[in-house]
Amino acid sequence: MKILSIESSCDETAAAVVEDGREVLSSVIASQVEEHKLYGGVVPEIASRRHAESIVGVVSEALSKADTTLDDIDAIAVTHAPGLIGALLVGVNFAKGLSLSTKKPLVPVHHLRSHIAANYISHKELKPPFLCLVVSGGHSHIVMVESYTKMRIIGRTRDDAAGEAFDKAARTMGIPYPGGIMLDKIAENGNDDAFKLPRPKVDDAPYDFSFSGLKTAVINIIHNMEQKGESVPVEDVCASFRKAVVSCLTENFIKAAKDLGVKTLVTAGGVSANSLLRHKLEKACKENDFELYMPQLSLCGDNAAMVGSQGYYEYLSGNIAELDLNAVATLPIDYRE
Ligand code: KG4
Ligand code: ZN
């Protein structure tokens, strides 16, 4: 079964053709990052406009790169939630138009579920059940993936997402958006013990995260040094902050796996590209005899191939939308089975 998939939840306009949920026939991404960099973060109005301008070209390119026409496509999958509402609407309306004109089924895909599905492309043997650490710019969750479409939230952030904390700390140090990626690189040359940072825990919720106190602590360190006229050792601050965030993510994730007796661990989302997180999880999983799966780096960030993968399993589970499908800014990952 061939699915044409569309993603426009944030600042990437993407389309792909994916066969049976696992084989990527084409994947095209038009990134807007250079433009948003000028403003230090994603400007929703600009994102919507650029999606509207790019979507026809991106979808056409995905079809031609897969050597396919709309006639060969069996279903159209689209990210409908969660994300920037104006951005999501561009993809959703385009997909609805295609579905109406071609009479092919329309499959709504939850953005975080698609991040998890990136692993089905990278690891052909991977099947639920498994425990997944979903860490992106907007979300940080530990999710029990019971089946391809049945998810149970085990832990979540109480405030900032991990990616958001990385981006905000980076911004305070003058590192351009999206700061998480560059902070990760700069941290490689720093001393990660240079600054003592808190490892916030949430009372009575051992798998939940809280990153806002950690983010404020690092911002205070930077501002205090600047006010005293001292030069900020950016490499050391990046290394200390990265270590603190990664420790919180790794400790809670491993604890949840041990407590639940799950032996297959998976990561998903933009932050799962973080080199220290990958390294620490590899080590911890080896020590605990857990199997670890992480998406290949090219599939950690937003793309439409992962939407085509999850779209396949949503389709098989009967998740077919009518033409009244709407974009939704906020929707829990366990919204349906
Ligand atoms: O999943 P994603 O591409 O988009 C959302 O759904 O939010 O995640 C983007 C987030 C950004 O906050 C970005 O800074 C972060 O992932 N990110 C990283 C790294 N690569 C991307 N954070 C830390 N280290 C990285 N290597
Ligand atoms: Zn994403």
Side-chain angles (χ1 to χ4, degrees), residues 7 9 111-112 115 136-137 269-270 300-302 306:
E7 153 65 37
S9 66
H111 183 63
L112 296 181
H115 270 300
S136 69
C300 287
D302 291 345
M306 66 188 193

Side-chain angles (χ1 to χ4, degrees), residues 139-206:
H139 298 85
S140 298
H141 283 351
I142 296 174
V143 181
M144 187 62 216
V145 181
E146 318 253 14
S147 77
Y148 289 106
T149 52
K150 186 176 177 194
M151 322 259 159
R152 188 157 50 90
I153 299 174
I154 305 296
R156 67 175 84 224
T157 182
R158 294 297 181 97
D159 37 60
D160 290 356
E164 189 182 355
F166 272 125
D167 292 343
K168 284 184 180 160
R171 192 173 164 166
T172 313
M173 288 180 270
I175 300 169
Y177 172 84
I181 305 159
M182 209 182 278
L183 187 151
D184 187 19
K185 288 199 183 108
I186 296 171
E188 289 298 315
N189 302 316
N191 170 9
D192 60 11
D193 282 327
F195 295 94
K196 294 277 162 275
L197 291 168
R199 302 281 190 277
K201 297 259 177 231
V202 180
D203 286 343
D204 305 325

Side-chain angles (χ1 to χ4, degrees), residues 229-292:
E230 297 170 9
S231 70
V232 178
V234 172
E235 292 173 349
D236 293 349
V237 178
C238 287
S240 304
F241 183 68
R242 181 178 72 162
K243 185 182 177 188
V245 173
V246 168
S247 301
C248 297
L249 292 173
T250 310
E251 278 167 29
N252 290 13
F253 189 34
I254 298 291
K255 177 170 172 49
K258 282 184 186 165
D259 292 353
L260 294 170
V262 184
K263 290 208 151 277
T264 307
L265 275 66
V266 175
T267 67
V271 180
S272 62
N274 186 273
S275 49
L276 184 68
L277 179 66
R278 292 175 90 94
H279 174 72
K280 290 274 179 215
L281 282 177
E282 267 164 9
K283 194 163 166 269
C285 287
K286 212 173 205 174
E287 282 165 11
N288 288 286
D289 212 11
F290 293 154
E291 259 187 301
L292 175 67

